[in-house]
Amino acid sequence: MTTGPGSLVRWTAPDGPWTEPDLHLFPQDGHRYEIVDGSLHVTPPLDEPHEAVVRALVTTLRGAAPEGWWVCARLGVAAGPSHLIPDVTVLRPESSGAVWADPSDVALVVEVEGPSSRRYDRLLKPSLYAEAGIPHFWRVSDGPVLHAHTLTNAGYECERTIAPLELVRLSAPFPVGVAPSSWI
């Protein structure tokens, strides 16, 4: 980063791949800065409806979490050369407590789709989470509709799609009742 009197902040890219320390150069401005295989990916700030769904998911999961489990909004996951920030991360008991969670500590990641993240949340991020061995992935699409996926040898398989007005009890990562329409 370079600055001068009366100048705008200017960022410079590293000479090689982006790494986790490079993420600390960015301001806390609402953008989501992530690294995918050494390449920087930036998502614009998310709107209030998106944030309301994230808060409701965190509340739902925390309310059902057995003692020792952690439910966190925007806790980063370090998956090899990628540093991803899911909307919601559920950590198993006895996890390391590192700033960037180790995938072996993660039981579930949740992505809430937005207009600027739809393809990223549907295609790229699930493949990276699966490659890292995270056993459960939820994706929330418009409606809201919950798509609950479980990791198989072939990647994530959609175990259940839950419509907005359904009330369903899921068993993983721990027993939890979900009603997507209550999240908006």
Side-chain angles (χ1 to χ4, degrees):
M1 172 173 72
T2 59
T3 59
S7 70
L8 297 174
V9 174
R10 192 178 97 205
W11 305 102
T12 56
D15 291 332
W18 290 87
T19 62
E20 185 272 336
D22 296 322
L23 294 174
H24 300 285
L25 299 174
F26 295 104
Q28 298 296 313
D29 61 0
H31 289 80
R32 188 175 310 190
Y33 300 95
E34 299 173 288
I35 297 172
V36 176
D37 296 332
S39 296
L40 182 66
H41 186 275
V42 181
T43 306
L46 303 163
D47 60 15
E48 179 50 34
H50 180 278
E51 295 302 291
V53 171
V54 170
R55 284 191 302 271
L57 277 162
V58 167
T59 299
T60 297
L61 288 163
R62 281 183 181 162
E67 188 173 329
W69 288 76
W70 291 89
V71 179
C72 309
R74 295 190 188 64
L75 175 71
V77 176
S82 298
H83 288 76
L84 306 169
I85 304 172
D87 286 312
V88 180
T89 305
V90 176
L91 298 175
R92 294 181 172 93
E94 309 299 323
S95 62
S96 69
V99 172
W100 289 93
D102 185 286
S104 65
D105 290 338
V106 179
L108 167 71
V109 289
V110 183
E111 294 292 350
V112 177
E113 290 182 2
S116 62
S117 68
R118 185 166 282 113
R119 288 184 189 193
Y120 190 53
D121 292 343
R122 285 186 183 193
L123 302 171
L124 184 58
K125 287 181 94 173
S127 68
L128 294 168
Y129 295 143
E131 189 177 292
I134 296 171
H136 301 283
F137 168 70
W138 291 1
R139 181 175 53 83
V140 179
S141 60
D142 290 337
V145 175
L146 173 64
H147 308 272
H149 298 79
T150 301
L151 187 60
T152 68
N153 289 338
Y156 284 120
E157 181 178 308
C158 188
E159 179 181 307
R160 183 95 192 246
T161 296
I162 302 161
L165 296 177
E166 288 185 85
L167 174 58
V168 174
R169 187 149 186 87
L170 297 174
S171 60
F174 39 73
V176 57
V178 296
S181 64
S182 70
W183 300 338
I184 53 174

